[in-house]
Amino acid sequence: MFALASLSAGDCDDPTCHILHNSAWGTGASLYVHENLHETTHNRLAELFGAAPTWIGPHLRRMELAHTAMPWNTAGQGYDQLPENALDSADRIDCPVLLLSGSDNKTFHDSNELCYDVLSSRHPGLDVRYVEIPGYGHVDPFIGRGAALDVFGHIIDFLDERSAAPSREGVHAGRVSEGSRSSR
């Protein structure tokens, strides 16, 4: 796995970066757009991401095959309270939901947009918005060098709109177009 990652690493010679950017721990995905990282963040990738959680792979595959979000563990510790199919039970969500993704998300591709579409069609009363950030990947909307300017404003706008709204019914849910901070 490490050898494959290093073959497509480009100019970066950091082994942690190779694993995260070129293969996302062997999944073939990329966790970020390399150019979006500040040098300090890039140098601390091993600290930020740590060891690869191997249990997540089979669970993600199980959800993919089921076409839904489902709990990993249903035995005790409150997990048995979780719905078997989270999308079918989304009407229980009693707070606004912001789904955010980079346009170059090579890890979960269009999953947040798909989630928005499913939630909007199955639960039209749910206050949900999807925002896609141009030029960002999976985690760089939060750790990227320009995230404070390019991304966080969408989050602040969403929170401001919700705090000013008199009720859930008075809030506009929708999809925000690329590069825009207004609903379409």
Side-chain angles (χ1 to χ4, degrees), residues 7-171:
L7 290 176
S8 60
D11 295 332
C12 183
D13 61 358
D14 182 276
T16 302
C17 182
H18 289 220
I19 292 301
L20 298 173
H21 177 59
N22 297 311
S23 71
W25 293 298
T27 65
S30 177
L31 293 181
Y32 48 83
V33 174
H34 193 268
E35 295 75 27
N36 288 347
L37 298 185
H38 185 276
E39 181 181 358
T40 302
T41 304
H42 183 272
N43 292 339
R44 297 188 64 202
L45 288 172
E47 294 173 62
L48 290 170
F49 288 94
T54 57
W55 63 268
I56 194 71
H59 181 56
L60 291 173
R61 180 68 175 149
R62 188 172 144 227
M63 289 193 304
E64 180 182 358
L65 292 172
H67 300 289
T68 192
M70 58 182 38
W72 165 252
N73 182 352
T74 56
Q77 298 179 355
Y79 293 111
D80 54 347
Q81 302 295 315
L82 296 173
E84 183 58 33
N85 181 324
L87 293 175
D88 288 343
S89 300
D91 59 331
R92 295 173 34 190
I93 298 172
D94 62 355
C95 64
V97 176
L98 174 63
L99 299 167
L100 185 90
S101 183
S103 64
D104 296 331
N105 187 336
K106 303 279 192 276
T107 304
F108 292 111
H109 306 279
D110 63 348
S111 63
N112 278 344
E113 184 176 18
L114 177 61
C115 184
Y116 168 79
D117 292 341
V118 169
L119 290 175
S120 296
S121 65
R122 287 191 194 178
H123 307 286
L126 185 63
D127 181 10
V128 61
R129 177 178 292 171
Y130 171 70
V131 177
E132 187 169 278
I133 310 299
Y136 279 81
H138 178 59
V139 298
D140 44 318
F142 298 102
I143 67 168
R145 166 180 67 243
L149 297 174
D150 300 334
V151 181
F152 294 173
H154 294 285
I155 298 168
I156 298 299
D157 288 349
F158 181 80
L159 294 173
D160 285 348
E161 290 169 16
R162 279 24 184 211
S163 67
S167 70
R168 267 180 78 179
E169 290 78 33
V171 176

